[in-house]
Amino acid sequence: MKKDSNVKARIFKNNLLYVVVCVMSALTAIPLLAILGEVLVKGWQQLGWSFLTEATPNAFKAMMAAQKGEPIPGGIANGIVGTLMMLFTAAVVAIPVGILCGICLSEFRKNWFAKTVSYITDLLQGTPSIIIGIIVYIWVVVPMKGYSGFAGSVALFIMMLPLIIRSTEETMKILPESLKEAGLALGGNYWRVMLKVMLPASFGSIFTGILLAVSRVVGETAPLMFTALGGAVISYDLGRPMSAVPLMIWEFFNDPNLQDLIWGASLFLLTLVLCLNLLAKRIAKKWKI
Amino acid sequence: MENIVDPILEIKDVSISYDKNVTAVKNVSACVERNTITAIMGPSGCGKSTLLRAVNRMHELYKNITVTGEILLNGENILTRDPIEVRRNIGMVFQRPNPFPTMSIYDNVLAGYTLNGISLSKHKRDDLVEKCLRNVALWDEVKDVLNKRGTFLSGGQQQRLCIARSLALQPEILLMDEPTSALDPIATKHIEDLLVKLKKEVTILIVTHNMSQAMRISDRSMFMFLGELIEYDDTKRMFESPKDDRTRAYLTGQMG
Ligand SMILES: Nc1ncnc2c1ncn2[C@@H]1O[C@H](COP(=O)(O)OP(=O)(O)O)[C@@H](O)[C@H]1O
Ligand SMILES: [Mg+2]
C-alpha cells in the first residue's frame, strides 16, 4: 500500500512538472505572439500592391492626404529595392569568402593561426552593429566622400561574414574524417575532394546558415544609418545613398506625417524574416544526411 | 616468407610512429605475392591499420605521423612518388561503408574519375558502371535505382558499392581494413565470395580480426603483435603449425 501511494506521488509530481513546463513555454511565446498580433493588426490594411511598388511619398503629399482623411499614398519600394540590392551585393561576396574561410578553419583547426582567426570571428559576431556602422563610415564613406549603397553593403557584409564562417566551420567539423579519406584514397586532389565531396555533403546546413545570416542582417538599421543613409526615390545605383526597409521604419517614426506607414513596413520586414527562417528550417530538414 | 614468386609489393623495414614517442609499427618487412589475398591479423591496437594505411600514403594527411623505410610497388618506391598517382593505383576500402552521401549509386562508382578530373563519354561511363557493379555482384540489385543515393542501400550493399568504386580505377592493389566488421554474416559471406573471385584481377591486402575469415579467404597471412610482424606464412601452414608461441596463443584464442 505504501508503495502504491509512493507511485501516485511520483505521478503527481511528474504531471505537476509537465504543467509548469507548459506554462513556462507559453509565457515565452506570449511576447512573440503579442508582437506579431500588434504588427499584423496595425499593418495589414496598408499592405497592398502599391505599397510594395511605389516609393515613399513626400511629406507634403502625405500631409494633404492626411488632411483629407485619405490613406497615405506611396509605399516602401525604394526600401525594398535598396535592401535587396545591398543584401545581394553583401551576400555575393560574403558567401564564397565565408565558406572558404569556414573550410580553412575546420581543416586547420589545430593551427594557432586558425585558432586566432576563429576567436576573432567570435568577437566580430559579438560586435554591436552600430560600431560596425561607424567603422564602415570611417573606412568607406569618408574616403569615398559620400554615403552610398556600396558602403551599406560593406557593413552588411561584415555582419554576415562571421555567421557564414561559423556555420560552415561547424558543419565541416562534424563530417566524418573517413569521408575525406575515401575521396583522397581514390586519388582525388585535395581541393577536388573538398568541392565534390565535403562541400556537397554539408551543403544543406551551410545553406541554412546563409539564410539565417541573411535574416539576421536584413533588419539591421544602425549600420545602415552611417553608410547607406537612406533615400526617398527608388535607386538602383550602389554609388549613391540608398534606402532600406528598416531605415524607412526609422524615418517614418521621425516624420509625424508618415507614421501610419510604420506598421506596413514592419509587417513586411517581419514576414520576410519569418519566411527566411521557415525556409532555413525546411532546407535543414530536407538535406539532412 | 620465402616462396614469393611474383612480388607486387615489397615492404622494407617500415616503421611508423605517431607523435614521435608512440611507434605503432616497428621494422616490418614483407613481400606480397601478385593476385593473392593476404590477410593481416593480430589483436586490436597491434598496428594493422597503421601498416595498411601506409601503403596508400594515408598518413600524409596528418602531420604528426612519420613513416620510414621503403614500400616498393613493382619495384618502385611509392613513398617517394606522387601520392595521388599512388592512390589511384592502390585502392582502399574502409571499415565502415562510406559511399559519398550526396552522390547517386551511378556517380559513386564513377567518383574516382570525377575526383581525378577525368571525363569519360556517356557510353564509356555506362559501360564502366555496369561492369564494376557486375563485378561486385550488385548490378542486378541496383540496376533500376542507379540514380538513388548510395546511402539508401543496405550496409552490405554499400560496402560492395565502395569496392566497386575502388575497382573502377583498375587499381593493382586493393587495401581493405576490416571491411566486414560492420556487416551481418550474410553480407559478410557475400563479400568474402566476391574477394576470392576478384583476386584474379587485383591483389588484395585485408586486415581482419576474424581468424576464420582469414582462414576462409586468404592465401597468406601475417600475424602482427605490438607493432611487429611476428609471423608471415601460407595461411594453411600458419593455422596448422604456427612457428611462434605468440601466434599460437592468438590462433588458439588465448590472446585478445
Ligand atoms: N591517430 C592516432 N594517434 C596516435 N596514436 C594512434 C593513432 N591511431 C592509432 N594509434 C596507435 O597506434 C597503435 C596501432 O593502432 P592501429 O594501427 O589502429 O591498430 P589496429 O588496426 O591493429 O587495431 C595503437 O596503439 C594506437 O593506440
Ligand atoms: Mg584497425
Side-chain angles (χ1 to χ4, degrees):
Chain A
M1 275 305 112
K2 189 164 174 284
K3 203 176 171 194
D4 204 39
S5 70
N6 212 341
V7 170
K8 266 190 192 148
R10 281 216 321 251
I11 291 177
F12 174 74
K13 255 195 229 160
N14 210 358
N15 287 340
L16 186 70
L17 198 66
Y18 180 70
V19 171
V20 170
V21 169
C22 283
V23 170
M24 287 307 189
S25 6
L27 279 179
T28 54
I30 285 173
L32 177 68
L33 291 178
I35 292 170
L36 271 177
E38 181 95 26
V39 172
L40 205 61
V41 165
K42 293 194 167 157
W44 76 271
Q45 316 121 302
Q46 283 163 14
L47 228 33
W49 187 242
S50 65
F51 187 74
L52 299 178
T53 54
E54 286 172 26
T56 323
N58 61 34
F60 178 71
K61 269 195 205 149
M63 204 162 70
M64 294 305 288
Q67 273 174 6
K68 284 189 210 142
E70 289 168 2
I72 300 176
I76 57 168
N78 46 336
I80 296 176
V81 168
T83 290
L84 291 184
M85 282 196 63
M86 287 190 283
L87 267 184
F88 182 78
T89 314
V92 161
V93 189
I95 290 170
V97 173
I99 289 179
L100 215 63
C101 222
I103 292 178
C104 289
L105 291 189
S106 127
E107 282 299 295
F108 305 111
R109 61 191 86 161
K110 296 213 182 88
N111 181 300
W112 68 268
F113 183 71
K115 274 186 191 154
T116 315
V117 172
S118 186
Y119 188 64
I120 291 172
T121 309
D122 275 343
L123 284 182
L124 194 58
Q125 197 171 335
T127 306
S129 58
I130 194 157
I131 294 179
I132 290 175
I134 199 79
I135 294 292
V136 174
Y137 174 82
I138 292 169
W139 284 354
V140 181
V141 176
V142 173
M144 286 179 62
K145 297 191 175 61
Y147 298 98
S148 65
F150 172 73
S153 304
V154 173
L156 295 185
F157 163 78
I158 295 177
M159 299 216 56
M160 281 167 84
L161 194 60
L163 298 169
I164 296 178
I165 292 178
R166 238 322 144 254
S167 76
T168 307
E169 184 190 348
E170 296 305 324
T171 314
M172 298 297 277
K173 269 186 181 168
I174 57 172
L175 286 180
E177 194 80 352
S178 72
L179 208 55
K180 188 167 80 189
E181 289 187 351
L184 292 167
L186 287 170
N189 83 26
Y190 181 80
W191 283 107
R192 275 219 191 90
V193 173
M194 279 295 150
L195 282 179
K196 304 235 151 135
V197 176
M198 303 302 270
L199 211 49
S202 53
F203 178 78
S205 343
I206 292 179
F207 197 69
T208 304
I210 291 171
L211 283 184
L212 290 178
V214 169
S215 84
R216 271 282 295 281
V217 303
V218 72
E220 279 299 338
T221 322
L224 294 182
M225 288 175 166
F226 300 110
T227 52
L229 190 67
V233 292
I234 298 177
S235 157
Y236 297 94
D237 183 358
L238 279 174
R240 312 202 25 217
M242 202 171 234
S243 192
V245 180
L247 273 182
M248 300 190 76
I249 296 176
W250 173 241
E251 283 161 18
F252 295 157
F253 179 78
N254 284 325
D255 188 334
N257 294 311
L258 295 176
Q259 278 184 3
D260 285 352
L261 291 173
I262 290 177
W263 298 104
S266 302
L267 183 58
F268 175 83
L269 199 57
L270 200 55
T271 315
L272 193 63
V273 170
L274 283 180
C275 287
L276 281 170
N277 274 290
L278 285 180
L279 194 64
K281 279 240 162 67
R282 296 211 66 155
I283 287 173
K285 226 186 203 165
K286 185 143 187 225
W287 278 78
K288 220 155 97 189
I289 50 165
Chain B
M1 181 88 211
E2 322 81 49
N3 55 343
I4 301 278
V5 185
D6 181 11
I8 184 168
L9 194 73
E10 287 173 68
I11 299 169
K12 284 188 175 171
D13 200 25
V14 166
S15 297
I16 304 162
S17 55
Y18 294 93
D19 300 319
K20 292 196 180 73
N21 39 15
V22 191
T23 306
V25 170
K26 295 169 196 154
N27 307 95
V28 169
S29 296
C31 267
V32 177
E33 172 86 15
R34 197 181 300 273
N35 294 86
T36 58
I37 298 180
T38 303
I40 306 176
M41 291 184 289
S44 109
C46 70
K48 306 180 295 291
S49 303
T50 307
L51 177 64
L52 195 76
R53 289 161 60 84
V55 178
N56 74 339
R57 299 186 51 179
M58 274 295 135
H59 291 316
E60 266 155 63
L61 309 179
Y62 308 94
K63 271 216 193 89
N64 56 339
I65 309 177
T66 46
V67 181
T68 60
E70 285 185 353
I71 300 177
L72 310 183
L73 174 67
N74 296 322
E76 230 188 302
N77 189 2
I78 60 167
L79 295 181
T80 53
R81 278 175 58 196
D82 175 17
I84 287 180
E85 221 169 284
V86 170
R87 291 183 194 135
R88 242 180 264 169
N89 263 320
I90 302 181
M92 182 150 195
V93 174
F94 297 77
Q95 187 166 358
R96 308 205 122 268
N98 54 2
F100 298 129
T102 52
M103 292 187 193
S104 64
I105 295 172
Y106 186 92
D107 290 337
N108 258 290
V109 177
L110 296 170
Y113 290 85
T114 321
L115 291 174
N116 280 300
I118 303 168
S119 52
L120 301 171
S121 69
K122 168 89 176 117
H123 180 70
K124 267 204 175 143
R125 272 181 290 161
D126 289 348
D127 278 356
L128 191 65
V129 169
E130 177 168 350
K131 191 188 131 224
C132 293
L133 289 175
R134 278 193 194 285
N135 228 342
V136 297
L138 196 58
W139 176 252
D140 291 325
E141 290 160 59
V142 303
K143 64 171 185 274
D144 300 321
V145 290
L146 288 175
N147 286 321
K148 277 208 171 175
R149 295 220 194 140
T151 40
F152 278 113
L153 301 171
S154 73
Q157 289 174 321
Q158 288 190 20
Q159 196 61 303
R160 276 182 280 152
L161 178 60
C162 291
I163 297 173
R165 178 176 73 184
S166 290
L167 292 178
L169 286 165
Q170 293 173 314
E172 294 189 66
I173 298 183
L174 189 60
L175 307 172
M176 312 184 95
D177 193 350
E178 306 192 24
T180 59
S181 67
L183 305 180
D184 62 73
I186 294 173
T188 300
K189 169 89 172 53
H190 225 109
I191 288 190
E192 288 179 1
D193 294 346
L194 187 68
L195 296 184
V196 172
K197 209 185 72 189
L198 283 175
K199 74 176 177 185
K200 277 190 233 97
E201 301 172 25
V202 61
T203 308
I204 297 172
L205 209 56
I206 180 172
V207 168
T208 175
H209 60 209
N210 181 337
M211 282 176 260
S212 53
Q213 179 170 65
M215 182 86 142
R216 282 193 298 270
I217 64 172
S218 73
D219 303 289
R220 290 144 207 263
S221 292
M222 297 183 192
F223 172 69
M224 289 182 72
F225 186 63
L226 297 178
E228 288 177 64
L229 178 59
I230 303 294
E231 194 163 341
Y232 178 28
D233 210 336
D234 278 344
T235 301
K236 220 163 153 214
R237 202 179 311 152
M238 188 196 272
F239 275 81
E240 277 166 8
S241 53
K243 294 189 188 71
D244 194 285
D245 287 344
R246 289 165 290 186
T247 318
R248 178 171 299 116
Y250 180 74
L251 293 178
T252 51
Q254 290 161 28
M255 189 188 279

